[in-house]
Amino acid sequence: MFVRFRCVRHVAAVVSMCVVAGCGFVSESASGADQKITVGTTSAPSTLDPAASWDGSWELFRNVYQTLLSYPAGASEPEPDAARCAFTDESKRSYSCTLKEGLRFSDGDALDARAVKHSIDRIVRINVPGGPKGLLGSLDRVETRGERTVVFRLRQPDATFPFVLATPAMSIVDPREYPADALRTEQEVTGSGPYVLAAYEEGRRARLVRNGHYRGYAQRKNDEVTLRYFQDSASMVQALHDEEIDVTYRGLAAEDVIALQSNDPDDGVQLVEGAGTEISYLVFNPEDRWARKTAVRRAVAQIIDRSALAHKVYKDTVDPLYSMIPSGLPGHTTGYFDDFGDPDPDRAADLLAAAGIVEPVPLDLWFTTDRYGSMTEPAFREIASQLEESGLFEVTLKSRAWKTYEAGYRRGEYPVFGRGWFPDFPDPENFIAPFVGERNALGTPYPVPEITSVLLPRSRREADRSAVVADFERAQQILVDDARLLPLWQGRQYVAASEEISGSERSLDPSTVMLLWELRRKTSW
């Protein structure tokens, strides 16, 4: 399909992604007719309407919609996109944004303050179960001043509100196309982002072309991107080797990463690795007969061998995690290791015996079959094996596809279940707040007054996020003591691409969403 020199390069990064120079000298084309790129991913959107999505649909949203603030490549804090914004009071309860002049949606309609207010208000009004309204807990109301100024009034101080506005959940939509009190039903997008959704086949592909009305920070290095949605990593990687796609992103399985790392140098594929903040964890349902018992939860925590999970199942493509806040963010701790140490079934037996539990504990352990990659089932089989080999648990593994799985845990059907978390924004708050309180992202109430009424409100008054470490260390110790949430591993980011593609190392923002405009096709070797 293409003329190429054959070579492979692999390099790991600690904080930011980087890739070493390829084999020989290359030049990169300016925008032109040949700047068409195909990207494979296992993360198909569940919806095209931002008001309905708090999930992997953000992958598409970031590229076809625009937000007031965003994350340019390499940024760790929100920067201007559609607007310049700032707190206007010392209490951090009034946040004002002034839109750029001349903004328009892809259909030519004006993007003004009214459109911004409409976009945020409809998220709150529609209130989709499990939707992005959960990110707007501190918002009281949205006001407009003229055509270009929007003011967000907050119920309480919230220094993280700019991070919320930078998430794809807060995408700005055209009031003429998106109803104020209902989701848009057509399989179409009217946004103001770098690309226009020119064609869409649900679960199969999305074709994106340049938006001629776009005025934002993204410097597009291609003219067209096609996203192809795969059911599994193996077929996606095969498509890369067969030159049917140029780049793979979300969903690379551990065995495929290992194979790509050790590929024949003539295969013409590069693998870029970087630090990530994706986490995997278990949730215990407080309504279940056994999972509600602290001794049972702490016994599970005492038995699970995270290092074995990372090595045996994930082939060291993930790292063991001992707190809900991942490494690399302020407030990260190793609380579970500090309290429980190495896996020890004897100590777990003592915990159960002290609570009067002497017979093997029956546990139903649930996972989803199509959400967190092809290694999910082997990982849960390993967890079940570790628990059963202790002689203290009798585990029944159960699974469902994501849509029914999500509905099930929100109804409280599962005693113990697995979840993954891709951050909404790169702040420790986003690894604590979504999981606690009467209403949270897990669907199981978790009232923790010290966290929700003291620690989080206090941390939200602090603009200097490095100054909130002590509060989040305390919050994590509370979670360790309860053992209601059990962190398992922290992921890394991998992008595999043809040697003809550059920009992979700049294509991920801090919330691990791919910035498609950074990808470029090389023109000569």
Side-chain angles (χ1 to χ4, degrees):
M1 183 177 179
F2 303 120
V3 177
R4 67 176 80 221
F5 279 28
R6 302 290 185 175
C7 64
V8 175
R9 290 292 186 267
H10 165 251
V11 64
V14 177
V15 178
S16 61
M17 299 175 63
C18 60
V19 63
V20 295
C23 311
F25 298 94
V26 303
S27 64
E28 296 176 349
S29 70
S31 176
D34 62 338
Q35 282 300 305
K36 297 180 181 180
I37 294 173
T38 302
V39 176
T41 175
T42 61
S43 181
S46 63
T47 177
L48 298 183
D49 190 329
S53 172
W54 196 355
D55 61 19
S57 304
W58 289 9
E59 201 85 74
L60 179 64
F61 293 176
R62 177 62 79 200
N63 293 279
V64 296
Y65 292 106
Q66 194 173 18
T67 46
L68 295 171
L69 303 170
S70 198
Y71 297 100
S76 59
E77 294 187 358
E79 297 185 11
D81 189 354
R84 291 191 174 276
C85 306
F87 283 103
T88 57
D89 63 335
E90 292 185 2
S91 70
K92 294 182 174 56
R93 294 181 59 184
S94 179
Y95 194 69
S96 179
C97 295
T98 301
L99 294 166
K100 294 178 180 178
E101 293 185 12
L103 292 177
R104 293 192 175 277
F105 291 102
S106 56
D107 62 0
D109 287 352
L111 193 167
D112 53 16
R114 182 180 66 90
V116 175
K117 175 175 169 58
H118 172 86
S119 301
I120 305 301
D121 283 350
R122 69 189 294 267
I123 292 173
V124 177
R125 185 178 297 112
I126 297 173
N127 192 18
V128 172
K133 182 184 177 182
L135 290 168
L136 295 170
S138 63
L139 179 65
D140 181 26
R141 64 188 185 278
V142 185
E143 301 173 353
T144 62
R145 295 179 180 173
E147 294 186 352
R148 292 176 51 212
T149 299
V150 184
V151 179
F152 299 91
R153 303 292 187 185
L154 308 182
R155 294 188 178 91
Q156 60 268 335
D158 188 358
T160 69
F161 192 71
F163 290 88
V164 172
L165 289 183
T167 67
M170 303 299 130
S171 296
I172 307 168
V173 299
D174 188 342
R176 198 162 61 89
E177 303 289 348
Y178 292 79
D181 55 2
L183 297 177
R184 184 175 183 177
T185 57
E186 304 95 333
Q187 295 288 286
E188 297 177 358
V189 165
T190 309
S192 59
Y195 298 95
V196 173
L197 183 63
Y200 182 70
E201 298 175 67
E202 185 174 3
R204 296 188 61 191
R205 71 185 67 228
R207 178 171 165 260
L208 313 183
V209 300
R210 280 185 172 231
N211 176 8
H213 291 291
Y214 175 67
R215 294 187 68 238
Y217 74 91
Q219 301 297 312
R220 292 164 293 191
K221 299 178 176 64
N222 57 64
D223 297 304
E224 181 176 318
V225 178
T226 295
L227 292 169
R228 279 190 55 188
Y229 302 117
F230 291 84
Q231 293 298 311
D232 57 75
S233 174
S235 59
M236 182 170 66
V237 172
Q238 188 60 52
L240 178 65
H241 285 302
D242 292 344
E243 300 178 342
E244 297 173 2
I245 61 176
D246 303 302
V247 182
T248 72
Y249 173 43
R250 185 83 70 191
L252 281 174
E255 64 265 27
D256 291 319
V257 170
I258 298 300
L260 288 165
Q261 289 173 339
S262 58
N263 258 354
D264 187 308
D266 289 336
D267 280 351
V269 173
Q270 59 181 327
L271 181 68
V272 179
E273 175 187 337
T277 50
E278 171 194 1
I279 68 170
S280 177
Y281 58 99
L282 295 181
V283 182
F284 292 86
N285 186 346
E287 299 301 318
D288 178 73
R289 175 189 174 189
W290 293 106
R292 71 190 304 171
K293 298 178 183 293
T294 303
V296 169
R297 301 195 299 267
R298 291 178 67 83
V300 172
Q302 186 64 70
I303 291 170
I304 287 182
D305 189 338
R306 295 169 177 80
S307 294
L309 190 65
H311 179 69
K312 290 172 61 177
V313 178
Y314 288 96
K315 312 301 181 186
D316 298 316
T317 60
V318 302
D319 298 300
L321 183 64
Y322 298 94
S323 71
M324 290 298 288
I325 298 175
S327 174
L329 291 181
H332 167 71
T333 70
T334 55
Y336 271 96
F337 186 82
D338 298 341
D339 280 26
F340 294 94
D342 292 323
D344 190 334
D346 291 336
R347 288 184 62 188
D350 291 341
L351 289 169
L352 293 173
I357 302 171
V358 294
E359 298 294 328
V361 176
L363 278 185
D364 287 352
L365 180 60
W366 283 82
F367 65 93
T368 181
T369 58
D370 59 348
R371 182 66 172 177
Y372 303 119
S374 58
M375 303 312 294
T376 302
E377 181 173 351
F380 274 77
R381 293 197 180 281
E382 171 63 20
I383 292 170
S385 176
Q386 292 177 7
L387 292 173
E388 291 202 321
E389 286 177 4
S390 72
L392 303 175
F393 292 91
E394 294 177 348
V395 180
T396 302
L397 278 178
K398 298 184 178 182
S399 63
R400 286 176 174 169
W402 173 251
K403 285 192 175 181
T404 52
Y405 181 80
E406 181 185 27
Y409 74 66
R410 293 193 183 283
R411 289 193 296 265
E413 295 179 4
Y414 314 145
V416 187
F417 60 96
R419 283 293 313 269
W421 186 254
F422 297 97
D424 303 317
F425 49 86
D427 188 271
E429 153 114 1
N430 197 233
F431 291 88
I432 301 292
F435 310 127
V436 296
E438 291 294 335
R439 298 185 63 184
N440 58 52
L442 304 173
T444 55
Y446 187 8
V448 197
E450 184 178 351
I451 294 179
T452 56
S453 300
V454 179
L455 299 176
L456 288 175
R458 186 165 65 203
S459 72
R460 288 167 179 160
R461 291 193 290 269
E462 182 56 68
D464 179 3
R465 303 309 287 166
S466 64
V468 301
V469 169
D471 284 336
F472 285 109
E473 288 177 343
R474 172 58 187 156
Q476 288 184 97
Q477 188 56 51
I478 294 171
L479 298 182
V480 171
D481 293 342
D482 285 348
R484 279 273 306 274
L485 305 172
L486 187 63
L488 298 173
W489 52 258
Q490 175 177 348
R492 305 174 192 172
Q493 297 185 74
Y494 294 96
V495 175
S498 159
E499 282 285 346
E500 293 184 348
I501 302 297
S502 68
S504 298
E505 71 280 5
R506 292 177 52 82
S507 64
L508 301 175
D509 78 356
S511 56
T512 70
V513 170
M514 180 167 270
L515 312 178
L516 297 176
W517 57 83
E518 293 288 350
L519 301 173
R520 181 197 302 252
R521 187 177 301 284
K522 302 170 185 175
T523 57
S524 63
W525 292 84

